[in-house]
Amino acid sequence: MTDLASTTAALAGLGLPHAVHAHAAADSFRAWADTVAAARPAGVAAVAPTKTLVLAPKRGTPALVVALDSTEFSIGALGKALGLKDARAASDDAVRALLRVDKLDATPFALANVADKSAVTVVVDRNVIEFNGHLAFRAFGADKSLLVEASHFKAFLDAQLGSFEPKDFAALLAGGAAPAPAPAAKAKKEASDEKEVLIGLTVKKNEDFPTWYSQVLLRTEMLEYYDISGCYIIRPWAYNIWKRIQQFFGPEIEELGVEDCYFPMFIPEKNLTKEKDHIEGFSPEVAWVTRAGQSDLAEPIAVRPTSETVMYPYYASWIRSHRDLPLRLNQWCNVVRWEFKHPQPFLRTREFLWQEGHTAFATKEEADVEVRQILELYRRVYEEVLAVPVVPGRKSEKEKFAGGLYTTTVEGFIPTTGRAIQGATSHCLGQNFSKMFKILMENDEGKRVNIWQNSWGLTTRTIGVMVMVHGDDKGLVLPPRVASIQAIVIPVGITAKTTEAERNALYAKAEEIVATLKKTGVRAKSDNRDNYSPGYKYNHWELRGVPLRLEVGPKDVAKNETRSVRRDNGVAAQLSLATLAEEVPALLQRIQDDMYAKAKAERDSRVVRLESWDKFVETLNNKCLVLAPWCEEVSCEEDVKERSANSAQGDEPVDDKAPSMGAKTLCIPFEQPAGGVKKGAKCFACDRKAVSYTLWGRSY
Amino acid sequence: MTDLASTTAALAGLGLPHAVHAHAAADSFRAWADTVAAARPAGVAAVAPTKTLVLAPKRGTPALVVALDSTEFSIGALGKALGLKDARAASDDAVRALLRVDKLDATPFALANVADKSAVTVVVDRNVIEFNGHLAFRAFGADKSLLVEASHFKAFLDAQLGSFEPKDFAALLAGGAAPAPAPAAKAKKEASDEKEVLIGLTVKKNEDFPTWYSQVLLRTEMLEYYDISGCYIIRPWAYNIWKRIQQFFGPEIEELGVEDCYFPMFIPEKNLTKEKDHIEGFSPEVAWVTRAGQSDLAEPIAVRPTSETVMYPYYASWIRSHRDLPLRLNQWCNVVRWEFKHPQPFLRTREFLWQEGHTAFATKEEADVEVRQILELYRRVYEEVLAVPVVPGRKSEKEKFAGGLYTTTVEGFIPTTGRAIQGATSHCLGQNFSKMFKILMENDEGKRVNIWQNSWGLTTRTIGVMVMVHGDDKGLVLPPRVASIQAIVIPVGITAKTTEAERNALYAKAEEIVATLKKTGVRAKSDNRDNYSPGYKYNHWELRGVPLRLEVGPKDVAKNETRSVRRDNGVAAQLSLATLAEEVPALLQRIQDDMYAKAKAERDSRVVRLESWDKFVETLNNKCLVLAPWCEEVSCEEDVKERSANSAQGDEPVDDKAPSMGAKTLCIPFEQPAGGVKKGAKCFACDRKAVSYTLWGRSY
């Protein structure tokens, strides 16, 4: 959106009406405003020229301000009212860096160029939104304006920002309203460095979850937005979590007899489209390579969305007799699903990392056993490694992997939105693929029979779920098992009177503690940067979720102690330096356990058991999941989805651009309520006989 | 090549003249041969109808036999003469499985459909190749024939098979020549299972290196050919080697302060083409995604050939001050270079796995230090992990990475072909990319200056080099450090008289040894399969390169001993079971050291120091590298390349389809001969002053 054409195209793409108004050239803003207000095009009842400016505070996030031309204010006064310290009009360079357009062309539509929406605070006067007519925006030239009705302008902001509330400038300037954005700098007075202004979050998890999520990922340096929508950069602070998951899961499957390998990323078109049922689910989102260098390829080549059609033709050639079984292969790789739905970092991305296991057995019994072994490992990844509780169970017919026999799953829960999320799936494919790809083995009697197959996968979605479940208003909270740094050691109590020798002694003590901890296997680090205050460092590492802080001051050292502060609950305690090598690992384990227990208690309190339909939708709207006796019929599930979607209108959580969403089955939990379904009990949603207690919810 | 059109297209593609001869339909082979011999088209002096048949031995590789129709032989006699036991004409199904054409349409041109050329032995009578005129082949129909001159037919076989020698059928049938292919089964009489026929290699490393390489990779199950040319399946036996390289290199760079991350695989076209110099080298081989599902993308998206243009724009936004440095990131990922040259498994593939490190520093000094630290790690990957000697040095101006300041390299050597191979490179990029991408930092004085960058990469090529250097006529030889199985324990001495209890005791003893070894960190496994003979198992594990075999027979057990046999040199020794936990690790270390020493001695003996041009080409032709005083001028290097290419005509190693190849500089070794270049010494190749001793060779 760096010119008029792309801007109008973008508005059209959102279905928002607009008009380009050509008028006499105006060589100043004043002249433009006057021209536009006067030269109303046909069919437009009223036109209000608007002004857009970027306010740059000395510290903190810049603000993009939109007001009617008729609304008067001084930048200083407005900045102050908005809580922006020493705000000035941003420089040409700053505007270009932020919005990627020249200052003169700055309109709110340039927000579409800002990948990280948390990098800017958008402040729009209520008068703009409530104007009954067309708003005029200067649009890439002295003789053209963009006319958009106020309601459509509001719709644009909603689409860009998730949700949007205008401000009452008059009230603000009169001192009648609290400053809208509370810049990070204000809350962190102890900090002394100018860098501090970038630290911390500006929103609360419960108040603006999507912005909170985005800020946590960006400001902890876990993630960066990328030039291609739906693709993200996984930075070391997040990638390390993936490595720790690999370090747990890899040896576990190796122990089961699974071997790692690597199959090509590319699939010839004819192989991919061979199997219609399988491909149906994927083909709308397959990325196609059609050209190499300057040459068109004879046949388009797909980038793998998953590797069944890559691998199974070779399984057919490698497997001859039952002696070649089991064949159990796994690969860690990238896959691409070019979804056109709204992407979300880690949860729904066009390229993602995963492991995919593909195994073959002589008998169904062996396949069944493995499905559950793998699911148990997935449960442990979530519960033991990430401290995130999940519900293991079987997917309904409607929700299972289409090409398979049955699907098992571990289902997570995001309390803030009340929505469930599929954690990982372990499928028994039965003999469907082995028939399709003619994977046959000679059995003991010399007969050629189809083999049995499983497939199972775990993705980088795990990271997003972990962030959403544990994070708080201060930022990320990392379970110790996946933290790159488990304990951060910070020298404190250095004042103007501290001598250099004293300071160096303190730094040396911090290093000594780190050495002690490292020796016992704790991932420890000291923060001896002398250009940052302790307060700044506390915020820095709290934001990043480091599980344990150890403060080392002169008084602590004198007592041979250190002050420990837990990230998860803020509890402080003095620890003796003499027993640190035992105390800290134990404390980290306690943090890990407590984080899981807390998340589990929260989740458990949100699983509501219902026996009938009455409170179903209300319970969902209260951000809960429902456990209810169900008939297990596909038609009933479709019916429930529709009924709960309609009823939910207007009550949806605001964290996604998804429309009001019906409930679906998450799983039929393996652990059924004591006693199971009562004899003769009816399905909660229809007149049929209930078969099992099933977990329902709105879901990512 | 499953129809006439694709067959003629393929011949045309190879530049081979041919004609399609339409004639009266002939409904039997006999009728066809007679028709063709008689109905000579205009301009063709002589036509000889040929016959093609596939001989399937009871055990071993099938043979594709081509003879003139006039050459008479019985299948049984020819099979016997060729050493093919109980050979019969292959069934329709077998022909189709091998050549992908119907038996009636089988011609030698169907060899193009056989990915693994080692799956078939091609036997062509000398009379065919020496026929002075056109050969006729039945070609997909009763009324059409393909006419190809004998010399062009030979050229086709050479292109398909690397090199090709016809047999003298008359001599063979008279018993006057040794059987051409010595099927594995013959050499392995001790084996008892029919699977044995697939075991072992049918060619010697020194006699047919490309076939040997392909057979080693396929038969050890390291690799499988894939449907897309230049893409290969890396099976667990090979992938494990890559994992062990990661397990060495990963912690080493972490120790240096490098962090792992993951950047997207896709690059918007405008980013990739931003930097012309950089892109020039890659753009001809970039794979482009232009379509997602059914939609054409607005802008084509490149699949990364390397990640400079992916990463550096973000470096520019992340780096603000010298405090943000050093920034040292690494990723393990797949990259794609759609080369149109002849692909070779591991050495030159269209998709490959690698790590790419991209680092940024405030000063050149820091960058310089890192370049060498990383190169030293690459040296250790080759020499310590893979037991492959390399020469570390600096690349010439002509051979360095075009976008960088200077390139360092470790250069390997493949004795069998006498060719060098670039092992891995560590580049100092200088400030070229930082200027291009505007990566600036504020220095201590508050000035914004360009930063310094390095990049460095190591690929799965390592695996191919390791196979080529250590493998022998029995197959793969694995250095213990990268072997999935370091010691294979095999029960022996079981006879018809052995009771079940005795056998079980032996198996239990084998398991006990495995347990003992595992406890001490040795990757051990027992082969207790009772449907295979010890001999079969020896071959099985020797082929796969397991470094140490431990045989456990009743007599050994009685003496509390086991017989150990080394894979690298065949040396056997009795080991006491009492001290196994110490002996075996020490023995494995000795094998590792000996393998390196042997390879190094071989390599050293092939590096010839020359002071002048005289023997340069002769030395190269003797499969050696040359170390010579050189002026370091680009024009001189180009000159040497041309002169050595011309002189080399006809003397080239036959392992590649490359035309005669000139020599290039491999590197300017960091370790120069004692005393360095003598004062006043001239360049070995021109009249300029010599600057340094430089390593020259023909290279992969």
Side-chain angles (χ1 to χ4, degrees), chain B residues 444-460:
Chain B
D444 268 334
E445 293 101 55
K447 267 194 196 152
R448 298 189 75 209
V449 296
N450 282 105
I451 53 110
W452 294 84
Q453 287 177 279
N454 293 338
S455 73
W456 28 273
L458 179 82
T459 78
T460 34

Side-chain angles (χ1 to χ4, degrees), chain B residues 203-215:
Chain B
V203 295
K204 290 192 191 307
K205 188 181 183 186
N206 270 313
E207 291 174 2
D208 182 356
F209 189 60
T211 304
W212 174 88
Y213 182 58
S214 165
Q215 285 194 352

Side-chain angles (χ1 to χ4, degrees), chain B residues 280-576:
Chain B
E280 237 167 45
F282 291 111
S283 68
E285 5 182 287
V286 167
W288 293 98
V289 173
T290 63
R291 185 153 57 88
Q294 299 304 318
S295 320
D296 285 331
L297 298 181
E299 185 190 35
I301 291 174
V303 181
R304 65 179 160 223
T306 176
S307 297
E308 280 79 1
T309 57
V310 176
M311 293 180 163
Y312 297 170
Y314 296 90
Y315 281 39
S317 79
W318 294 335
I319 296 168
R320 290 278 158 242
S321 102
H322 62 97
R323 288 181 198 155
D324 300 319
L325 296 175
L327 176 62
R328 305 173 78 177
L329 298 182
N330 176 67
Q331 64 182 11
W332 296 91
C333 63
N334 56 344
V335 286
V336 171
R337 298 179 189 175
W338 207 265
E339 300 200 51
F340 292 93
K341 278 184 258 178
H342 180 56
Q344 270 204 296
F346 295 118
L347 301 198
R348 190 190 298 130
T349 64
R350 285 177 169 175
E351 181 189 2
F352 58 87
L353 303 181
W354 76 348
Q355 62 65 221
E356 50 179 326
H358 295 268
T359 56
F361 299 90
T363 64
K364 178 168 187 296
E365 289 66 35
E366 291 167 275
D368 285 339
V369 167
E370 193 209 53
V371 166
R372 295 294 292 271
Q373 284 174 327
I374 296 295
L375 195 75
E376 170 64 7
L377 291 177
Y378 288 157
R379 185 194 66 74
R380 292 177 61 200
V381 165
Y382 275 98
E383 299 198 335
E384 296 179 10
V385 180
L386 299 172
V388 169
V390 289
V391 180
R394 179 169 52 84
K395 283 281 184 191
S396 71
E397 274 304 295
K398 181 168 154 53
E399 292 293 327
K400 77 169 190 187
F401 177 47
L405 184 61
Y406 64 89
T407 292
T408 65
T409 178
V410 289
E411 294 285 320
F413 177 68
I414 310 297
T416 316
T417 59
R419 283 163 68 179
I421 184 159
Q422 180 176 297
T425 45
S426 175
H427 313 288
C428 178
L429 303 179
Q431 297 185 308
N432 296 2
F433 283 91
S434 89
K435 282 172 184 165
M436 210 180 289
F437 288 95
K438 300 195 175 51
I439 314 179
L440 300 159
M441 63 155 198
E442 200 167 274
N443 66 14
D444 268 334
E445 293 101 55
K447 267 194 196 152
R448 298 189 75 209
V449 296
N450 282 105
I451 53 110
W452 294 84
Q453 287 177 279
N454 293 338
S455 73
W456 28 273
L458 179 82
T459 78
T460 34
R461 159 176 285 200
T462 41
I463 300 170
V465 175
M466 190 275 293
V467 171
M468 287 185 165
V469 167
H470 296 305
D472 64 18
D473 289 343
K474 285 182 171 177
L476 185 64
V477 183
L478 285 171
R481 282 193 69 171
V482 296
S484 309
I485 301 172
Q486 297 174 308
I488 185 75
V489 183
I490 300 179
V492 299
I494 296 169
T495 67
K497 281 187 261 174
T498 309
T499 66
E500 196 174 326
E502 285 168 338
R503 201 186 59 199
N504 288 343
L506 217 48
Y507 285 1
K509 180 55 82 177
E511 293 298 352
E512 186 189 317
I513 291 173
V514 167
T516 303
L517 292 176
K518 277 192 169 170
K519 213 178 290 171
T520 184
V522 173
R523 297 186 288 277
K525 183 186 154 89
S526 66
D527 186 348
N528 287 355
R529 294 177 287 179
D530 55 14
N531 50 329
Y532 294 89
S533 70
Y536 173 89
K537 293 176 185 175
Y538 295 174
N539 291 333
H540 179 91
W541 298 109
E542 279 177 358
L543 172 68
R544 281 165 181 72
V546 170
L548 193 63
R549 178 170 83 228
L550 297 177
E551 302 167 11
V552 194
K555 285 176 199 161
D556 301 308
V557 173
K559 288 186 283 180
N560 203 35
E561 282 184 350
T562 174
R563 183 170 182 264
S564 70
V565 182
R566 288 172 59 159
R567 173 65 182 89
D568 63 322
N569 61 10
V571 170
Q574 293 294 119
L575 297 182
S576 164

Side-chain angles (χ1 to χ4, degrees), chain A residues 520-680:
Chain A
T520 184
V522 173
R523 296 186 289 276
K525 183 185 154 93
S526 66
D527 186 348
N528 287 356
R529 294 177 288 179
D530 54 14
N531 49 329
Y532 294 89
S533 70
Y536 174 88
K537 293 176 184 176
Y538 296 173
N539 291 333
H540 180 92
W541 297 111
E542 280 177 357
L543 172 68
R544 281 164 180 73
V546 170
L548 194 63
R549 177 171 83 228
L550 298 177
E551 302 168 11
V552 193
K555 287 177 199 161
D556 301 309
V557 173
K559 288 187 283 181
N560 203 35
E561 283 184 350
T562 174
R563 183 170 183 265
S564 70
V565 182
R566 289 171 58 157
R567 174 64 182 89
D568 63 323
N569 60 11
V571 170
Q574 293 293 120
L575 296 182
S576 164
L577 293 182
T579 54
L580 218 51
E582 298 81 53
E583 294 272 6
V584 170
L587 187 50
L588 290 171
Q589 185 59 52
R590 218 171 310 142
I591 294 172
Q592 181 86 28
D593 296 343
D594 288 354
M595 285 179 69
Y596 172 70
K598 185 183 164 196
K600 184 166 187 303
E602 175 75 38
R603 197 274 319 269
D604 287 350
S605 76
R606 303 283 201 91
V607 176
V608 176
R609 188 165 152 186
L610 296 178
E611 304 295 327
S612 63
W613 178 265
D614 315 345
K615 304 208 167 217
F616 185 68
V617 175
E618 180 189 333
T619 306
L620 297 176
N621 290 352
N622 288 336
K623 300 188 178 177
C624 290
L625 308 181
V626 171
L627 187 65
W630 182 48
C631 62
E632 293 199 16
E633 292 293 330
V634 172
S635 60
C636 179
E637 177 162 7
E638 282 165 352
D639 190 46
V640 169
K641 186 168 186 176
E642 201 173 324
R643 286 162 71 192
S644 56
N646 293 342
S647 321
Q649 209 89 41
D651 285 319
E652 267 305 290
V654 292
D655 68 303
D656 200 335
K657 277 148 203 141
S660 77
M661 184 191 288
K664 63 182 190 181
T665 60
L666 308 171
C667 70
I668 299 154
F670 290 126
E671 197 185 316
Q672 289 279 308
V677 171
K678 278 179 217 124
K679 226 184 147 177

Side-chain angles (χ1 to χ4, degrees), chain A residues 224 226-227 234 243 260 262 265-266 271 286 288-293 314 318 323 334 338 351 531, chain B residues 195 224 226-227 234 243 260 262 265-266 271 286 288-293 314 318 323 334 338 351 531:
Chain A
E224 180 70 84
Y226 186 66
D227 275 350
I234 306 179
K243 278 170 75 172
D260 281 347
Y262 188 76
M265 170 175 64
F266 292 129
N271 294 25
V286 167
W288 293 98
V289 173
T290 63
R291 186 152 57 89
Y314 296 90
W318 293 336
R323 287 181 197 154
N334 56 344
W338 207 265
E351 181 188 3
N531 49 329
Chain B
K195 263 207 150 184
E224 181 70 83
Y226 185 66
D227 274 350
I234 305 179
K243 278 170 76 172
D260 281 348
Y262 188 77
M265 170 175 65
F266 292 130
N271 295 25
V286 167
W288 293 98
V289 173
T290 63
R291 185 153 57 88
Y314 296 90
W318 294 335
R323 288 181 198 155
N334 56 344
W338 207 265
E351 181 189 2
N531 50 329

